[in-house]
Amino acid sequence: MSSPNKPEVAPAANFIKNIVEADLAAGKHAQRHWSGQPGTAADQASGPLDPAKIRTRFPPEPNGYLHFGHAKSILLNFGLAQQYGGRCHLRFDDTNPEKEDQEYVDSIVDAVKWLGCSWESAGETNLYYASNYFDWMAAFAEYLISAGHAYVDSQSADEMRANRGTLTGAGKDSPFRTRSVEENMALFKRMQAGEFPDGAHILRAKIDMSAPNINLRDPAIYRIRHATHHNTGDKWCVYPMYTFAHPIEDALECITHSICTLEFEDQRPFYDWLLERLAEGGLLQRPLPQQIEFSRLNLTYVVLSKRKLIQLVDEKHVSGWDDPRLPTLVGARRRGYSAEGFRLFAERIGVSKHDSLIDYALFEDAMREVMNESDQRRIAVLDPVKLIIDNYPADQVEECFAPNHPLHPELGQRAVPFSRELWIEGEDFMEVPSKGYRRLFPDNMARLRYGYVVKCIGCDKDANGKITAVHCEYLPETKSGTPGADSVKVKGNLHWVSAAQSYAAEIRLYDRLFSVAAPGARREGDAPDLERNFLDDLNPNSRQSITAQLEPCLRDAKPEERFQFERHGYFVADRVDSKDGQPVFNRAVTLKDSWGKAG
Ligand code: ATP
Ligand code: MG
């Protein structure tokens, strides 16, 4: 999307596209079979060649609402699938029985759809729950035991920690590492049967306690947890560890490129080890999925961590998950941000392995650019002051015509009523003008946009000196769109609404939730032992509610309909608090980046 007024910004590099293109050129995944659903090597072999050239997935854990960082991952995974003739799966990574909730599942489904991504394509519905793979996971664990690749460890948690070694020192073998296959199998069966309390035993992969990568020192793969799972109920009292479950989920779903954030880089050797062992045993189809790590999105002025977001919501620093100031996707939607804007932003920041902190202004610029193209124009006066046109007939109302979109004449224009009494912005009049001020001040002329040129003749004030009305006279031959419109040249150009036809409405102005770029981060000059709390960096003025005067047709705005209010920015009819005929508007973003600059 481009607009004539802005320079094109080229999309940033995405190294994962290069990997995908090289794989496609080499035909790496061309011989995979796909039975139509997740399954083992044997299940897949019964199906035809996979019509999907690649398979990616977005695998959220349903333990919170999605945030802007997840949007980067969603757009990347679904975007690659779409671009390269593939499919992208939405997979709920719900293998942890304790933290997950249907509310989160529903909100994730909504958010992914809102971003314009679909797990339904080419006749496939690729929506999966990792908990449906528990049977396979347990069977695979038993296979590892039978092949001598896993054992039941009965050390205490403390002993295991102590024997794990350090970054520089090797670990020590557990005394239970030499248990026989039969003994391990019997114990694991009894773990599954519920014979032991939580923590009594744990199943571990048998790799190498002296591996330089600590993740390869016999990582835990199955633990005892007597907990009810939201999907499988009480069927299981053993649950797979995430690092065991995730590669298997990918492989069962025939994922070709398993994309994750950088903190999983150290896990990749175990990811590969595990899938290799299972493929050797004939359980998984080759070629195996490839894990590829990229750097997560970090943005200034927000926090992108579920834990901190939960804290903001639970401690009521915000009104809920969909508070328009939160960097959640439900918050973004309510704020009026556009899914298209997320897409443009994601393209611009690209995908790399370098950690970076992206300026929030870049995000807002992407939003503005998209909205400038997409949003119709309307008129709102946010800080209304009466303007009285003394030489205009008191009982007259005439129509002026305002274009709905200056970049899209085909969207036509609409009539806006003009009369003797109007509302203008308080800042559009100064009794004593500052240097360079071009709008209304005594004896100066300015144009009422789409209407007439007026000459200011004075103002009324109350006992406190507050201006209650501005007076002017209009020049009848200067109406916009008539031959005389250009006969008088003026520099100021103001927006207005007719007082008798406009209506008062609530408008919510949002600002950044935090007043510093890196909330909670230490700053220059901090004492060495000072620990900052991100909550102390909350911006106390991040939300303001005002009563504005709006042009009459805005009464009909439907929830989530968005407009550019001329000279002010982009505003959306709130999807929660709007009533029929009385929408409440949220400001998504101002017209220009004015953060930190004087109004
Ligand atoms: P958080 O770290 O905020 O708690 P998470 O990683 O625990 O998030 P998951 O539900 O596990 O949340 O994430 C689903 C997917 O989203 C993962 O593939 C993860 O890598 C990706 N993801 C999470 N945060 C970001 C981020 N800031 N930038 C890019 N991708 C992210
Ligand atoms: Mg996670």
Side-chain angles (χ1 to χ4, degrees):
M1 186 152 302
S2 67
S3 85
N5 308 323
K6 289 242 180 164
E8 288 281 337
V9 180
N14 176 341
F15 77 98
I16 301 180
K17 287 188 182 178
N18 302 342
I19 296 176
V20 170
E21 284 172 17
D23 289 348
L24 288 174
K28 179 176 170 190
H29 298 284
Q31 297 307 312
R32 284 172 314 119
H33 288 248
W34 171 246
S35 68
Q37 49 194 326
T40 61
D43 298 329
Q44 299 304 354
S46 70
L49 283 181
D50 191 348
K53 296 210 163 45
I54 60 169
R55 286 187 186 269
T56 55
R57 85 287 175 267
F58 174 64
E61 190 177 352
N63 62 353
Y65 281 72
L66 299 183
H67 55 60
F68 290 12
H70 295 117
K72 176 176 177 177
S73 175
I74 293 168
L75 293 171
L76 172 61
N77 281 294
F78 282 91
L80 287 170
Q82 193 182 23
Q83 182 174 357
Y84 294 105
R87 314 277 186 272
C88 182
H89 301 187
L90 175 60
R91 177 204 309 147
F92 289 103
D93 212 326
D94 59 351
T95 53
N96 184 347
E98 278 130 353
K99 293 191 292 185
E100 292 142 8
D101 203 304
Q102 188 62 36
E103 175 195 351
Y104 299 131
V105 170
D106 296 341
S107 80
I108 290 169
V109 162
D110 282 351
V112 173
K113 279 191 192 159
W114 178 73
L115 278 175
C117 297
S118 180
W119 50 90
E120 289 177 9
S121 67
E124 292 184 17
T125 300
N126 291 302
L127 175 67
Y128 301 110
Y129 291 82
S131 58
N132 288 335
Y133 310 150
F134 281 156
D135 284 318
W136 279 316
M137 290 179 191
F140 290 2
E142 290 180 9
Y143 164 76
L144 291 179
I145 294 172
S146 68
H149 295 311
Y151 63 99
V152 173
D153 196 356
S154 310
Q155 296 181 97
S156 69
D158 284 342
E159 286 166 332
M160 262 200 281
R161 208 169 302 121
N163 289 338
R164 205 165 170 230
T166 61
L167 285 176
T168 47
K172 251 172 65 190
D173 284 4
S174 161
F176 303 99
R177 199 174 195 266
T178 50
R179 275 177 168 151
S180 68
V181 167
E182 293 69 31
E183 191 183 359
N184 283 320
M185 193 66 86
L187 278 170
F188 187 54
K189 297 269 191 208
R190 291 175 62 199
M191 284 166 66
Q192 295 179 62
E195 289 188 30
F196 307 113
D198 289 3
H201 306 280
I202 198 157
L203 187 66
R204 298 177 76 173
K206 194 183 215 172
I207 309 180
D208 179 2
M209 286 306 291
S210 59
N213 182 339
I214 290 191
N215 298 298
L216 291 179
R217 293 183 190 167
D218 294 6
I221 60 179
Y222 251 98
R223 66 205 160 121
I224 303 171
R225 190 68 92 237
H226 291 271
T228 304
H229 187 278
H230 76 107
N231 181 24
T232 56
D234 292 322
K235 176 174 176 192
W236 299 95
C237 61
V238 294
Y239 290 94
M241 305 300 285
Y242 177 84
T243 47
F244 174 78
H246 198 90
I248 292 175
E249 295 159 22
D250 285 343
L252 290 169
E253 291 180 23
C254 297
I255 299 303
T256 56
H257 302 83
S258 172
I259 300 165
C260 62
T261 43
L262 274 179
E263 63 272 24
F264 293 100
E265 197 165 23
D266 290 348
Q267 291 289 352
R268 184 165 12 108
F270 179 62
Y271 185 103
D272 291 339
W273 179 92
L274 174 64
L275 295 186
E276 269 303 323
R277 297 293 81 71
L278 296 172
E280 275 168 16
L283 298 171
L284 295 176
Q285 175 178 224
R286 291 182 190 272
L288 295 163
Q290 180 189 359
Q291 176 178 306
I292 303 164
E293 310 87 15
F294 71 104
S295 70
R296 57 196 293 122
L297 172 66
N298 297 305
L299 258 187
T300 57
Y301 296 101
V302 295
V303 290
L304 294 181
S305 119
K306 269 184 207 158
R307 185 182 57 77
K308 289 180 180 167
L309 294 171
I310 287 173
Q311 201 180 343
L312 287 169
V313 173
D314 283 354
E315 296 177 9
K316 305 213 178 329
H317 300 287
V318 293
S319 64
W321 284 105
D322 65 351
D323 188 300
R325 294 165 298 176
L326 276 188
T328 54
L329 295 181
V330 275
R333 181 171 178 181
R334 192 167 173 197
R335 172 81 170 251
Y337 288 149
S338 101
E340 200 54 46
F342 272 98
R343 227 171 267 277
L344 181 61
F345 174 65
E347 252 172 54
R348 291 219 171 130
I349 59 174
V351 177
S352 79
K353 279 183 176 285
H354 307 290
D355 265 323
S356 66
L357 181 62
I358 307 283
D359 192 337
Y360 199 80
L362 208 67
F363 173 79
E364 289 188 317
D365 271 344
M367 289 297 159
R368 282 188 191 102
E369 194 163 329
V370 165
M371 295 176 187
N372 183 43
E373 268 292 322
S374 62
D375 293 4
Q376 292 211 8
R377 278 34 171 183
R378 295 291 184 267
I379 304 168
V381 176
L382 302 193
D383 175 28
V385 165
K386 207 42 107 40
L387 180 78
I388 300 172
I389 306 170
D390 289 343
N391 63 340
Y392 194 88
D395 51 358
Q396 184 170 317
V397 179
E398 70 179 289
E399 287 183 332
C400 293
F401 290 91
N404 286 324
H405 202 306
L407 306 174
H408 295 289
E410 71 280 7
L411 293 173
Q413 47 184 16
R414 65 194 186 286
V416 287
F418 182 90
S419 66
R420 176 185 164 93
E421 294 201 5
L422 310 176
W423 294 111
I424 61 166
E425 296 293 344
E427 63 167 32
D428 284 346
F429 171 76
M430 287 183 96
E431 194 176 11
V432 181
S434 56
K435 192 163 174 285
Y437 190 77
R438 299 163 160 196
R439 288 165 271 169
L440 290 177
F441 54 88
D443 292 330
N444 192 45
M445 291 198 287
R447 171 166 294 281
L448 297 173
R449 190 175 267 190
Y450 317 125
Y452 296 92
V453 171
V454 293
K455 179 178 184 182
C456 181
I457 54 177
C459 64
D460 302 333
K461 290 191 265 191
D462 66 13
N464 301 319
K466 184 176 179 304
I467 289 156
T468 54
V470 177
H471 288 270
C472 66
E473 287 176 348
Y474 84 121
L475 282 59
E477 71 284 3
T478 60
K479 189 172 183 183
S480 295
T482 68
D486 291 333
S487 59
V488 181
K489 297 268 183 247
V490 294
K491 291 193 170 132
N493 191 339
L494 327 181
H495 66 274
W496 49 272
V497 291
S498 173
Q501 287 81 21
S502 69
Y503 77 104
E506 181 186 353
I507 293 204
R508 296 169 185 170
L509 304 177
Y510 296 104
D511 216 323
R512 299 184 180 184
L513 185 56
F514 293 94
S515 44
V516 301
R522 290 172 48 77
R523 291 177 217 149
E524 229 178 87
D526 276 357
D529 57 344
L530 180 83
E531 277 201 36
R532 288 189 174 274
N533 179 346
F534 76 106
L535 295 173
D536 296 335
D537 293 329
L538 279 165
N539 172 7
N541 302 312
S542 57
R543 181 187 192 278
Q544 196 193 343
S545 171
I546 60 169
T547 302
Q549 289 289 336
L550 308 188
E551 72 167 280
C553 70
L554 284 169
R555 275 206 175 93
D556 302 328
K558 297 281 166 287
E560 297 200 71
E561 221 182 325
R562 203 180 48 232
F563 302 96
Q564 184 197 98
F565 288 174
E566 293 192 16
R567 294 174 69 207
H568 287 304
Y570 299 92
F571 291 74
V572 73
D574 189 82
R575 61 196 286 253
V576 178
D577 295 334
S578 291
K579 304 212 167 41
D580 235 15
Q582 191 68 28
V584 171
F585 285 94
N586 299 327
R587 181 172 70 196
V589 61
T590 54
L591 275 193
K592 293 198 189 80
D593 180 14
S594 59
W595 175 257
K597 298 175 190 122

